[in-house]
Amino acid sequence: MPINLVYVFEIIGTFVFAVSGVSTAASKRFDIVGVSIIAFVTAIGGGTLRDVMIGVQPVSWMLDQNYIYTIFAAVGLSFFFLPYLLKLRRTLFIFDTIGLGLFAIIGLEKALAAGLTPVVAIMMGTVSAVFGGVLRDILSNSIPLIFGGRLYASICVVGGIVYLLLIEMEIPKYTTMIATVFFIIILRSLSVKFKWSLPQIK
Amino acid sequence: MPINLVYVFEIIGTFVFAVSGVSTAASKRFDIVGVSIIAFVTAIGGGTLRDVMIGVQPVSWMLDQNYIYTIFAAVGLSFFFLPYLLKLRRTLFIFDTIGLGLFAIIGLEKALAAGLTPVVAIMMGTVSAVFGGVLRDILSNSIPLIFGGRLYASICVVGGIVYLLLIEMEIPKYTTMIATVFFIIILRSLSVKFKWSLPQIK
Amino acid sequence: MPINLVYVFEIIGTFVFAVSGVSTAASKRFDIVGVSIIAFVTAIGGGTLRDVMIGVQPVSWMLDQNYIYTIFAAVGLSFFFLPYLLKLRRTLFIFDTIGLGLFAIIGLEKALAAGLTPVVAIMMGTVSAVFGGVLRDILSNSIPLIFGGRLYASICVVGGIVYLLLIEMEIPKYTTMIATVFFIIILRSLSVKFKWSLPQIK
């Protein structure tokens, strides 16, 4: 898997995350600027938090305007075609899951590159993948979705463990990446299909 | 416009932002410490987020205690005179708008100085100007005001574009600054007077 | 007071803060991953914000996994014994107050070490001690507890002033630390016993 393919999927993941932000913000009747802000926060919030905690500054999306153009494209397309976009639920779900997996792996790799331990790296991967959505929900004054009901953050954690195990087994990085993303897609699809949920504390 | 005048207006802007925080917090019946925290977050939250994302640390207000004294002065005065302060609505509105414009320009300049592109710089200017208010609303558990109804963030974006165009035309920096702030004041006054609003996504 | 005792109390403080996060999250019926995220944010959120604002990166807890294990232990024990843990209210209260005092002092010291002024250092100490709780409440979509009713942030501020005065009087650092933490415990106990509260702004 050449590095460019990772980049392409990262951009697609950014697009899908931005659409999810637009969709939340539109349902709260925010105006176009409010919608754009939520789209940005959803798409780049997780990576921003990760970079700031690790100490990678300026934060990475600030150095590559393609992320910005992608988010504006998502907002622009949504302005005209949001109902149609939302009908592509199955497609969006797959790209959202690919985004989730890729963001988790990229975050994990960045943390390892900064000399952090595997445990912290898995946490940073999970932060990258899920905190955009958390910030989206906080800004919309809702309880973050990831706190209940669906498996989401836990899938990133399991995906991160699988990724590190495969790397440890000296399987080449791109094979590992593809395998992990597939694993995450399957795990998430199963979790949605069979309505898996996690126990609560009483 | 000598640099000192910019500084004076920045301090006044800080004061007015702090009063806006006090006013929100008092309406939620927070105690004096809660009110002070909200006043701080409103006044320095946007600049803090900007500095952290760019990588300017310690964050700038931590190196100049005049900001801190200004915010404490705003809280102290509000403790005795909040109803009177709030009656000065028109004056506060003008200083709030000057603050908005100046914070946007200062943020934009800081981002350019860090080598970031004009597009990112306009975003950083807008973040500086509006995110203090966003954090104020989140901490008070309200939906951020900027997401609907009034033009606010969009005015910072337009102001940033005007500023960069004037700089590009090689107009001296202080003239550009004054012109942009005046432009922002006029634009915002018109937007309030004629109740301009932005479209929503359906 | 040898440095190791400070570390031991820091770990205990982290545990107690994590339990407070678990308890809030469990009352909102979050699943085990949601509970873990809230536990983390409560325990390390204040220190993370402080480090990021000062520019200490990677953030300190990322370099010492004992904090992470402590939080997981708190979540794990809570999963089986939360009702019993919550019955130890008086013990938890004391450790929470020790944690509060220690986090405030450690934050203050870090800020001084970074060359910041005493006023800013007291603010950073307070941020370290209380912002984990603020973030816990925001993520649970509640109005932060510190904004009303109870003395909490103000105790950190007063504790910070006492600490700096004792240091100024050239009392040895560990004596100062013990004295300040005792002072904070007594002040907080009195404030709870006599239901002290702060005035509001009208």
Side-chain angles (χ1 to χ4, degrees):
Chain A
M1 193 187 207
I3 196 72
N4 287 347
L5 202 50
V6 173
Y7 187 66
V8 167
F9 276 112
E10 225 191 309
I11 292 289
I12 296 177
T14 301
F15 183 90
V16 177
F17 275 36
V19 169
S20 120
V22 170
S23 151
T24 303
S27 76
K28 297 258 172 180
R29 305 177 146 268
F30 293 171
D31 66 25
I32 187 86
V33 167
V35 165
S36 304
I37 294 174
I38 299 284
F40 260 94
V41 168
T42 310
I44 53 93
T48 300
L49 182 58
R50 172 204 65 213
D51 282 355
V52 164
M53 284 169 79
I54 297 180
V56 176
Q57 290 149 312
V59 159
S60 45
W61 65 266
M62 292 164 76
L63 302 175
D64 177 357
Q65 296 199 167
N66 288 339
Y67 296 104
I68 300 175
Y69 300 144
T70 302
I71 297 167
F72 278 129
V75 173
L77 283 171
S78 301
F79 191 71
F80 297 105
F81 306 114
L82 188 60
Y84 306 91
L85 275 176
L86 294 181
K87 267 188 201 148
L88 303 170
R89 270 183 58 190
R90 195 158 298 194
T91 317
L92 285 179
F93 176 82
I94 290 182
F95 281 120
D96 184 66
T97 309
I98 295 176
L100 194 73
L102 270 181
F103 288 172
I105 291 170
I106 291 166
L108 189 158
E109 284 283 354
K110 277 210 180 184
L112 289 180
L116 297 164
T117 61
V119 170
V120 175
I122 289 173
M123 293 176 65
M124 286 301 103
T126 307
V127 164
S128 315
V130 309
F131 252 82
V134 171
L135 293 172
R136 173 199 64 209
D137 296 337
I138 291 175
L139 286 173
S140 320
N141 203 22
S142 330
I143 287 197
L145 278 180
I146 61 157
F147 292 156
R150 295 278 173 73
L151 270 64
Y152 200 74
S154 48
I155 287 176
C156 296
V157 173
V158 176
I161 294 170
V162 167
Y163 181 80
L164 286 179
L165 287 176
L166 294 178
I167 293 284
E168 194 68 21
M169 287 157 71
E170 290 181 21
I171 290 167
K173 190 159 276 186
Y174 295 128
T175 314
T176 297
M177 244 178 190
I178 296 174
T180 307
V181 170
F182 265 98
F183 173 81
I184 285 179
I185 291 177
I186 292 168
L187 191 63
R188 195 171 171 212
S189 303
L190 290 174
S191 83
V192 169
K193 177 151 195 167
F194 296 106
K195 298 189 178 161
W196 288 345
S197 67
L198 291 166
Q200 295 180 354
I201 290 183
K202 277 140 203 163
Chain B
M1 194 184 205
I3 196 71
N4 288 345
L5 202 50
V6 174
Y7 186 67
V8 166
F9 276 112
E10 224 191 309
I11 292 290
I12 297 177
T14 301
F15 183 91
V16 176
F17 276 35
V19 169
S20 120
V22 169
S23 151
T24 303
S27 76
K28 296 260 173 178
R29 304 179 147 267
F30 294 172
D31 66 25
I32 188 85
V33 167
V35 165
S36 304
I37 294 174
I38 300 285
F40 261 94
V41 167
T42 311
I44 53 92
T48 300
L49 182 57
R50 172 205 64 213
D51 282 355
V52 164
M53 285 169 80
I54 296 180
V56 176
Q57 288 149 314
V59 158
S60 45
W61 64 266
M62 292 166 75
L63 302 174
D64 177 357
Q65 297 198 166
N66 288 339
Y67 296 105
I68 300 175
Y69 300 144
T70 302
I71 297 167
F72 278 129
V75 173
L77 283 172
S78 300
F79 191 71
F80 296 106
F81 306 114
L82 187 60
Y84 307 91
L85 275 176
L86 294 181
K87 268 188 200 147
L88 304 170
R89 271 183 59 189
R90 194 158 300 194
T91 316
L92 285 180
F93 176 82
I94 289 182
F95 281 120
D96 185 65
T97 310
I98 294 176
L100 194 73
L102 271 180
F103 289 172
I105 290 170
I106 292 166
L108 187 157
E109 285 283 357
K110 277 209 181 186
L112 288 180
L116 297 163
T117 61
V119 170
V120 175
I122 289 173
M123 293 176 64
M124 287 299 103
T126 307
V127 163
S128 315
V130 309
F131 252 82
V134 171
L135 293 172
R136 172 199 64 208
D137 295 338
I138 292 175
L139 286 173
S140 320
N141 203 23
S142 329
I143 287 197
L145 279 179
I146 61 157
F147 292 155
R150 295 279 174 74
L151 269 64
Y152 199 75
S154 48
I155 287 176
C156 296
V157 173
V158 176
I161 295 171
V162 167
Y163 181 80
L164 286 179
L165 286 178
L166 294 177
I167 292 285
E168 194 67 21
M169 286 157 70
E170 290 181 21
I171 290 167
K173 189 160 278 187
Y174 295 127
T175 314
T176 297
M177 241 176 192
I178 296 173
T180 307
V181 169
F182 265 98
F183 173 81
I184 285 180
I185 291 176
I186 292 167
L187 191 63
R188 195 172 171 211
S189 303
L190 290 175
S191 83
V192 169
K193 178 152 195 165
F194 296 106
K195 297 190 177 160
W196 288 345
S197 67
L198 291 166
Q200 295 180 356
I201 290 182
K202 276 141 206 160
Chain C
M1 195 186 207
I3 196 72
N4 287 346
L5 202 52
V6 173
Y7 186 66
V8 167
F9 276 112
E10 227 191 308
I11 292 290
I12 296 178
T14 302
F15 183 90
V16 176
F17 276 36
V19 169
S20 119
V22 169
S23 150
T24 302
S27 76
K28 296 259 172 179
R29 305 180 146 269
F30 293 171
D31 66 25
I32 188 86
V33 166
V35 165
S36 305
I37 294 173
I38 300 284
F40 260 94
V41 168
T42 311
I44 52 92
T48 300
L49 182 58
R50 172 204 64 212
D51 283 355
V52 164
M53 284 169 79
I54 297 180
V56 177
Q57 290 150 310
V59 159
S60 43
W61 65 266
M62 293 165 74
L63 302 175
D64 177 357
Q65 296 198 166
N66 288 339
Y67 296 105
I68 300 175
Y69 300 143
T70 302
I71 296 167
F72 278 129
V75 173
L77 283 172
S78 300
F79 191 71
F80 296 105
F81 305 115
L82 188 60
Y84 306 91
L85 275 177
L86 293 181
K87 268 187 201 148
L88 304 170
R89 270 183 61 189
R90 194 158 299 193
T91 316
L92 285 180
F93 176 81
I94 290 181
F95 281 120
D96 184 65
T97 310
I98 294 176
L100 194 72
L102 271 181
F103 289 172
I105 291 169
I106 292 166
L108 188 157
E109 285 283 356
K110 277 209 181 185
L112 289 180
L116 297 164
T117 61
V119 170
V120 175
I122 289 173
M123 293 175 66
M124 286 300 103
T126 307
V127 163
S128 315
V130 309
F131 252 82
V134 171
L135 293 171
R136 172 199 63 208
D137 296 337
I138 291 176
L139 286 173
S140 320
N141 202 23
S142 330
I143 287 197
L145 279 180
I146 62 157
F147 291 156
R150 294 278 174 74
L151 270 62
Y152 199 75
S154 49
I155 287 176
C156 296
V157 172
V158 176
I161 294 171
V162 167
Y163 181 80
L164 286 179
L165 287 178
L166 294 177
I167 292 285
E168 194 67 22
M169 288 157 69
E170 290 180 22
I171 291 167
K173 189 159 278 185
Y174 295 127
T175 314
T176 297
M177 244 178 190
I178 297 174
T180 307
V181 169
F182 265 98
F183 173 82
I184 285 179
I185 292 178
I186 291 167
L187 192 63
R188 195 171 172 212
S189 303
L190 290 174
S191 83
V192 169
K193 176 151 195 167
F194 296 105
K195 298 189 177 161
W196 287 345
S197 67
L198 291 166
Q200 295 181 355
I201 290 182
K202 277 141 206 161

